[in-house]
Amino acid sequence: MRGLGRNRLLTLLMVTPSIVIVGVFLLVPLLIVVAYSFAERDSYGGVVPAFTLNNYAQLLDPIYHPIMWGSLELAAINTILALAIGYPIAYFIAFRAGRWAPLLLVLILVPFWINFLIRISAWIVLLGRGGLINATLQAFGIIDEPVRMLGTYGAVQVGLLYAFLPSAVLPIYAALQPINRTLLEAAHDLGANPLQSFLRVTLPLSLSGVMAAVLFVFVPSMGVFAIPVLLGGGKEIIIGNLIVQLFLEFRNIPLGAAVSVILLLASSLGILLYMRALRKIELARS
């Protein structure tokens, strides 16, 4: 008993620094944002302590509906594109790349080693009127004069896809890699063609990775703000941009905090749905 108590005390001492760091740098700021979301704003943009639901009620104003739906649409399209492109890449690395698989994984991870803003700013050069893409199209005679790409919806979508595609590839690869290859051989021996083997064996066994990819792509796509500003010229306002504008430009911190809380709740709901679906998949496998 004395040894058990000593082990528990040692474990508590080891995890205490992590608990303190999480509490100070994560929980406390979140609680401050939640408190601000119920506060009021004075005429100078300051925060007046109060408890009101007016900030959340304002979000029901029709003026915010296009922003909310536009954010959902942009994130949904980006998620679909990331899955459509990321799954074949992950499948190729897991089943076809062989000894080149580690190198390909490193190439996918390389963008994470570079600052996010630098990576997105590079697309400004590529998509500009005098950029590489326009120059290449003109060199091959596809276009006669430079095409305007920056400041468009397509530029924002390209930036989002580039930024979050690795977040789709990696979890799908992690789900495909452990799949027992003998299951695919058994499906082939039972008369299944490659498409049937994929639909009945590979895809069901990799659903956990697909759902993780959806979570890792959809949630940050809702809250990102640098990409619409840099590549879209601020024309495509999504939830992330709205939060920044409310905090910095309009000095309406309580309303910005309310939008942040809504985004946080939506993200938490997505995580809960993912965990519930993952539990169902594990029960179905067992």
Side-chain angles (χ1 to χ4, degrees):
M1 292 297 293
R2 183 177 300 176
L4 181 60
R6 187 182 297 110
N7 290 335
R8 289 180 177 178
L9 179 60
L10 181 60
T11 302
L12 180 61
L13 291 176
M14 293 178 62
V15 301
T16 296
S18 301
I19 295 175
V20 172
I21 292 174
V22 171
V24 173
F25 295 103
L26 180 62
L27 295 181
V28 172
L30 285 179
L31 292 177
I32 293 175
V33 171
V34 172
Y36 278 174
S37 69
F38 295 104
E40 295 180 349
R41 172 180 179 269
D42 61 21
S43 56
Y44 297 100
V47 178
V48 178
F51 184 83
T52 176
L53 297 176
N54 290 337
N55 298 314
Y56 293 96
Q58 288 184 48
L59 297 179
L60 299 178
D61 192 305
I63 193 175
Y64 295 108
H65 293 175
I67 298 176
M68 302 298 180
W69 288 114
S71 301
L72 289 172
E73 178 186 2
L74 200 65
I77 293 176
N78 186 50
T79 302
I80 294 172
L81 291 175
L83 290 178
I85 299 174
Y87 198 103
I89 294 175
Y91 184 90
F92 176 80
I93 296 175
F95 290 98
R96 298 288 185 267
R99 61 189 180 91
W100 297 102
L103 176 61
L104 294 177
L105 288 175
V106 170
L107 293 177
I108 292 175
L109 290 172
V110 164
F112 288 105
W113 302 346
I114 305 173
N115 183 272
F116 178 79
L117 292 178
I118 295 177
R119 288 188 284 127
I120 299 304
S121 298
W123 278 98
I124 299 178
V125 179
L126 292 174
L127 298 175
R129 288 186 175 273
L132 180 62
I133 296 178
N134 269 314
T136 302
L137 294 177
Q138 286 182 288
F140 284 96
I142 299 177
I143 57 176
D144 296 327
E145 57 183 17
V147 177
R148 178 175 173 270
M149 298 181 185
L150 287 176
T152 62
Y153 183 90
V156 175
Q157 197 67 70
V158 168
L160 288 174
L161 180 61
Y162 166 76
F164 299 115
L165 182 60
S167 299
V169 174
L170 295 177
I172 295 176
Y173 170 80
L176 289 172
Q177 181 61 28
I179 293 179
N180 193 340
R181 275 39 175 190
T182 58
L183 296 176
L184 302 178
E185 296 175 359
H188 177 73
D189 293 339
L190 292 174
N193 57 41
L195 180 59
Q196 291 173 329
S197 298
F198 172 78
L199 294 177
R200 297 186 179 183
V201 179
T202 307
L203 183 59
L205 292 177
S206 63
L207 279 181
S208 59
V210 173
M211 291 188 299
V214 171
L215 184 66
F216 294 161
V217 175
F218 185 84
V219 172
S221 296
M222 287 279 292
V224 70
F225 70 93
I227 295 176
V229 171
L230 294 176
L231 300 183
K235 296 179 181 179
E236 298 295 333
I237 300 179
I238 60 176
I239 294 179
N241 301 82
L242 177 63
I243 294 173
V244 174
Q245 290 180 357
L246 289 174
F247 270 93
L248 301 181
E249 297 181 17
F250 300 118
R251 297 285 296 173
N252 195 338
I253 295 177
L255 183 58
V259 179
S260 302
V261 171
I262 294 297
L263 182 59
L264 177 63
L265 291 176
S267 303
S268 302
L269 178 62
I271 295 174
L272 291 176
L273 292 176
Y274 164 73
M275 295 177 63
R276 183 175 181 181
L278 186 61
R279 191 178 299 112
K280 288 184 177 180
I281 292 177
E282 292 176 351
L283 291 176
R285 289 179 181 177
S286 59

